[in-house]
Amino acid sequence: MTAPGDLMQALFLRLKTDASLSALLGGAGLLERADAKAAFPHVTYGRTSAFDLETGADNDNDQLVTLHIWSKAQGEAETRLIMDSIKARLDGAALSIGPRGQTRLSLEFAEARYDDDLEVHHGLLRFRALTKESA
């Protein structure tokens, strides 16, 4: 089974090695959680759900992972560019996480919108992470 924390570390490691994404984010824009001093744009790790679609029971082999993209740029172009860069890096990717097997990622949901309350552009990317254990 792949623990959510291990999956998060593997995702962020994969994203940190993408030079084009690092350029879009200005370097240190991948954050587990953002504080009030976080520079824009940035990406934060959101909710992870572990489940079994057939039984509804907890199952760390099938997880949904959400990434949040935050931008204060005029218009949503910057948000969409960052989302596209992340999608290109993660959609269809296979990650080895620990000795138990391989985790394959697939994009489940994408949305970009303007949040009036926070005065930011907010992108959401939700990936399914399915782990197949080694025999």
Side-chain angles (χ1 to χ4, degrees):
M1 296 191 305
T2 302
D6 294 340
L7 179 58
M8 179 190 75
Q9 288 179 346
L11 289 174
F12 272 24
L13 180 61
R14 185 167 182 92
L15 293 175
K16 284 179 182 180
T17 62
D18 185 328
S20 64
L21 179 60
S22 291
L24 288 170
L25 294 173
L30 292 170
L31 309 168
E32 186 173 343
R33 271 190 263 280
D35 61 21
K37 296 177 184 178
F40 287 88
H42 60 263
V43 176
T44 58
Y45 193 80
R47 181 177 177 199
T48 299
S49 303
F51 60 93
D52 184 320
L53 280 175
E54 293 179 18
T55 66
D58 286 349
N59 175 3
D60 285 347
N61 289 332
D62 195 358
Q63 300 178 57
L64 287 179
V65 177
T66 304
L67 297 174
H68 297 270
I69 296 85
W70 306 94
S71 170
K72 287 200 170 198
Q74 186 70 25
E76 66 179 41
E78 181 177 65
T79 303
R80 294 241 179 235
L81 281 171
I82 294 167
M83 290 173 68
D84 289 346
S85 183
I86 293 171
K87 284 189 280 189
R89 190 75 173 143
L90 295 182
D91 191 23
L95 305 173
S96 293
I97 304 172
R100 301 188 78 83
Q102 192 172 68
T103 299
R104 178 149 317 266
L105 301 171
S106 61
L107 182 66
E108 293 284 311
F109 175 81
E111 176 183 57
R113 64 177 192 256
Y114 184 74
D115 187 319
D116 289 317
D117 294 336
L118 298 174
E119 298 180 348
V120 297
H121 289 277
H122 182 195
L124 291 164
L125 293 171
R126 186 166 301 124
F127 291 90
R128 168 163 280 132
L130 183 59
T131 300
K132 299 232 183 218
E133 301 216 13
S134 301

